[in-house]
Amino acid sequence: MKTNLECMKETLAQERELQFPCFNNKMGLDLGLVLVRRCQETGSAMTIDITVCGQQVFHYSCDGTLPDNDARAKGKINVVNRLRHSSYYVRCCLEEEGTDIEARYHISAFEYRPYGGCFPLVVKNAGFIGTVTVSGLPQEEDHAFVVAGIREYLNSLK
C-alpha cells in the first residue's frame, strides 16, 4: 500500500503527464465513450461526467448506478474546480495532514467530496478547463480508472 506522500507524488506526475493538446466538445464525447466502453468491458457500474468551462459536455450513468453516484461525482467536481488538483490528490494531502476538508478549507464536506475519481482537464499551454469524473468504485479504483481512460484516449490522438 502506498503512503500518502507516494500517492501525492504519483498523482502530481499524472496531472503533469495527462494534458490535452486542445479540447472541444467532440473530444469530450469521444473521451466519454472510451470511459463507457471500459465500464462495459470491466462490468463496472459507474457514473461518468465530463465538464468543460462549467458546461457538462458528457454524462452517462451505467445500469446499476444510483442518484448517489451523481451526487458523489458533483462533490468531487467541486473539489477539483476549487483546488485545481485531482480529488484523489486532495484526499491524500488531507490524510497526510491528518485533517479533513472542512477543517482545512472551511468548506462543506457534503458539497466538496475529496475522494478519488475526478481529474483536472488541462490543455497544454492554456491550463485548467474542466473535469473528467467517474463514480462507482472504491476511490483508489475510481482514480485509477479515470487516469487509465484519459491515458488511453490521449494515446489514441498520437
Side-chain angles (χ1 to χ4, degrees), residues 13 16 26 30 33 38-39 41 64 66 78 97 102 108 110 114 119 125-126 128 136 143 148:
R16 284 189 300 273
K26 172 70 167 76
D30 294 341
L33 293 174
R38 292 176 67 85
C39 282
E41 289 174 355
L66 299 168
N78 289 342
E97 293 176 7
E102 289 183 336
S108 166
F110 182 76
F119 202 84
N125 302 318
F128 176 84
H143 177 77

Side-chain angles (χ1 to χ4, degrees), residues 75 78-79 82 101-103 105-114:
N78 289 342
V79 167
R82 182 166 180 137
I101 200 151
E102 289 183 336
Y105 295 104
H106 308 288
I107 55 180
S108 166
F110 182 76
E111 292 180 43
Y112 294 83
R113 298 185 184 193

Side-chain angles (χ1 to χ4, degrees), residues 8 11 14 16 21 31 39 52 57 62-63 69 76 90 99 107 115 135 143-144 152 157:
M8 292 160 57
T11 55
Q14 292 165 341
R16 284 189 300 273
L31 173 57
C39 282
V52 179
V57 298
C62 299
D63 290 337
N69 294 101
K76 295 175 191 184
V90 173
T99 191
I107 55 180
Y115 304 107
S135 176
H143 177 77
E152 178 182 328
L157 298 177

